[in-house]
Amino acid sequence: MTYNELKSEENKYVMNTYGRFPIALDHGEGATLWDVEGKKYIDLASGIGVNCLGYANPAIIDAIDKQAHKLMHVSNLFTTEPMVQVAKKLVEKTHLGGKVFFANSGAEANEGAIKLARKYSFDKYGEGRFKVLTLINSFHGRTVTTLKATGQERFHNYFFPFTEGFDYAVANDIKSVRAKADDMTCAIMMELIQGEGGVLPLDREFVKEVEKLCREKDMLLIIDEVQTGIGRTGSLFAFQQYDIKPDVVTMAKGLGGGMPIGAVMAADTCCNVLTPGTHATTFGGTPIVCSAANVVLDTVGDGQFLMKVREKGEYLRNGILSLGSPNIKGVRGMGLMLGIIVEEGKHSVFANKLIENGVLAITAGKNAVRLLPPLTISKEEMDEALAIMAKVF
Ligand SMILES: *Cc1c(COP(=O)(O)O)cnc(C)c1O
C-alpha cells in the first residue's frame, strides 16, 4: 500500500491519539530506514530510544528466532531461564545488588516503583507516608498515576480524579526539594536527564544533595532511567556517571532492543518489599522478550561498546556545533542522548524539515530537536545525517 492508502485506512480504524509524521515506515538496517515508498532515512530517533542495537540486528533476530522455537510465553507462575539471566546481568553489571521485577513499559515500571516505595514506608512506618516527590518538567508515563507523577500541569487534565500523593519540586534547586519533602514523603523520583521535558541534565551537586536528603529522611531515591538507561548516555545507566547509589532504578525503552519490556531494579535496601500477591503482570519477563534483552545487555554492558557510544556522542555533538548555523543555539545532553537547541517553538518545524530531507528526529520540551540514534550508528550514517542537517539548519 502507498502512504496515502495506508493513512486513509488508519484514519478509519485507528484511534487518533498521535500527531504522526507523514510517512509509513517499512523496513530498516543498522540506523537506516526505508518507508513504504522506498525513500531512505537516517534514523536519529530509534523509536524514541528503543532500537539501541539498530534495525535487523542479526544477534537479536537469532535470539528471538531460537527462543520462538522453544517457548514464547508461560506466565509468571513458572520460572524461565531468559528472565533469570536478564535479572542477573542487570544486578551484576550495575553493582547495585538487589533484585529485579519485570514489567512491559516505562509507565508500568514507574507504577511498580511507586507501589514499592509506598509499601516500603507502610511496612516500616504504617499509614500516612505515601507522598512521592518528583521534579517540575519531568515525564514519568501515561497511566492515571504516572501522569500525576509527571511534573507538568498540561498532563493533569481530563482524566480526573488522578491518584493522590504527588508533589513537585524545582529541578536543580535543593531548597525547593527540602521544602517539599515532609513527614509524609516516602520517595523522590527523578530523571537524571529530563528527556521529554527538553533533554535537560540535572546538576551533579544537586543530585548528590537529593541522595543525601533521601538518606537523612529514609525516603527511597527512585531514578527513572526509562530513557537514559541501557547505554544511552555512555554508561549502562546514567546514575553511574552521577556517582550515586539509588534505591530503585526503572528502565524500559532500550532494554529489549525493540521488544516491549520494562523493569524495576531495587537495591538491597528495598528489594524484598514486594512479596507474592502484592504486585504482578501477565507478560512481565516473558521469555521471548527476555531473549532479546539478554543480547542487549551482553552487547551494551561491555566497556568498549560504551566507550564508542561516548565517542559517537562527541562526534555528533561537535559535528552539529561546527555546522555553524545561527539557528542552532547549542547542544545539550550526554552520550547519544542529545538535544539541539533552537528558537522556542521552532523545534517541530526543524524536525519536520529533517524528516522531509531524510533524517528522523523528534522534539522535546519547548526548544529541543531530540536525537536518540541507535547506539550502533556508524560514522558513515552520522556523516550522512550531518550533511542533511547542514542543509536543513
Ligand atoms: C518514555 C518514558 C516513560 C514512559 O514509558 P512508556 O514505555 O511509554 O510507558 C517514562 N519515563 C521516562 C523518563 C520516559 O522517557
Side-chain angles (χ1 to χ4, degrees):
M1 276 199 227
T2 64
Y3 170 73
N4 286 335
E5 287 164 349
L6 265 176
K7 194 65 193 175
S8 81
E9 301 232 317
E10 182 184 22
N11 290 342
K12 205 161 152 196
Y13 298 115
V14 182
M15 282 194 204
N16 180 26
T17 59
Y18 300 98
R20 294 194 213 270
F21 291 110
I23 53 174
L25 294 167
D26 184 66
H27 64 282
E29 197 180 336
T32 307
L33 281 166
W34 287 267
D35 70 15
V36 289
E37 272 139 27
K39 186 176 164 189
K40 179 182 145 180
Y41 303 86
I42 305 297
D43 179 20
L44 302 185
S46 59
I48 318 195
V50 167
N51 304 300
C52 56
L53 302 188
Y55 299 91
N57 181 289
I60 292 194
I61 292 171
D62 188 48
I64 291 174
D65 182 48
K66 284 209 176 84
Q67 190 58 45
H69 282 87
K70 285 174 72 180
L71 202 61
M72 288 209 264
H73 174 80
V74 291
S75 94
N76 276 307
L77 303 175
F78 303 94
T79 299
T80 54
E81 189 171 337
M83 182 263 297
V84 175
Q85 286 174 334
V86 175
K88 184 176 178 192
K89 281 170 199 171
L90 282 171
V91 169
E92 287 185 352
K93 284 177 191 289
T94 53
H95 310 291
L96 254 196
K99 295 177 185 176
V100 179
F101 173 87
F102 290 105
N104 304 286
S105 67
E108 200 192 359
N110 286 336
E111 287 257 358
I114 292 161
K115 281 178 73 177
L116 189 154
R118 286 186 171 177
K119 186 165 183 297
Y120 171 84
S121 197
F122 181 90
D123 289 348
K124 236 171 142 173
Y125 304 100
E127 269 182 68
R129 220 170 156 272
F130 53 78
K131 214 166 97 176
V132 176
L133 193 58
T134 67
L135 298 179
I136 290 168
N137 201 42
S138 58
F139 182 80
H140 297 295
R142 291 281 191 166
T143 62
V144 173
T145 296
T146 55
L147 275 177
K148 191 66 180 172
T150 292
Q152 302 185 52
E153 269 310 312
R154 68 188 172 97
F155 286 101
H156 307 157
N157 215 340
Y158 318 120
F159 313 112
F160 305 103
F162 287 93
T163 310
E164 286 175 57
F166 290 90
D167 202 357
Y168 317 95
V170 180
N172 293 326
D173 180 350
I174 191 64
K175 281 203 193 95
S176 164
V177 177
R178 281 193 173 272
K180 294 277 188 169
D182 58 22
D183 293 345
M184 293 188 312
T185 310
C186 64
I188 298 179
M189 176 159 87
M190 58 193 198
E191 306 154 85
L192 292 172
I193 304 177
Q194 294 185 330
E196 203 68 32
V199 194
L200 298 155
L202 295 184
D203 297 341
R204 272 178 80 86
E205 294 88 276
F206 170 75
V207 173
K208 293 289 281 182
E209 286 291 320
V210 171
E211 182 189 37
K212 210 172 100 195
L213 181 63
C214 284
R215 300 293 160 257
E216 269 169 38
K217 294 178 141 282
D218 196 18
M219 301 180 294
L220 295 188
L221 177 58
I222 304 171
I223 302 296
D224 177 347
E225 296 242 22
V226 170
Q227 194 161 152
T228 52
I230 319 299
R232 178 53 55 193
T233 67
S235 49
L236 188 54
F237 289 97
F239 80 80
Q240 295 166 308
Q241 294 183 63
Y242 277 85
D243 188 28
I244 53 167
K245 203 168 176 302
D247 297 292
V248 179
V249 178
T250 58
M251 66 201 80
K253 293 188 163 93
L255 179 59
M259 293 291 260
I261 184 171
V264 184
M265 186 164 50
D268 290 325
T269 47
C270 56
C271 66
N272 296 315
V273 166
L274 294 174
T275 48
T278 60
H279 197 45
T281 184
T282 298
F283 287 111
T286 206
I288 189 76
V289 167
C290 285
S291 70
N294 272 308
V295 175
V296 169
L297 289 175
D298 289 343
T299 311
V300 178
D302 173 73
Q304 287 289 103
F305 184 94
L306 290 167
M307 198 178 76
K308 282 208 197 115
V309 171
R310 295 193 291 274
E311 284 168 8
K312 288 176 196 179
E314 282 312 298
Y315 185 78
L316 205 49
R317 179 195 301 262
N318 293 332
I320 293 162
L321 289 172
S322 65
L323 297 178
S325 164
N327 291 315
I328 296 175
K329 320 260 176 247
V331 178
R332 286 196 291 253
M334 282 159 64
L336 282 172
M337 179 172 182
L338 298 172
I340 305 173
I341 311 312
V342 297
E343 192 186 318
E344 196 170 312
K346 288 283 172 65
H347 51 348
S348 33
V349 175
F350 284 110
N352 278 302
K353 281 216 172 112
L354 283 168
I355 290 178
E356 246 172 72
N357 285 276
V359 165
L360 299 193
I362 49 182
T363 59
K366 295 191 181 80
N367 64 357
V369 176
R370 182 168 32 154
L371 309 182
L372 303 163
L375 307 179
T376 51
I377 191 170
S378 67
K379 182 168 178 298
E380 290 70 32
E381 286 167 323
M382 287 192 285
D383 286 340
E384 222 175 306
L386 284 167
I388 292 169
M389 284 188 215
K391 198 168 119 191
V392 167
F393 284 108

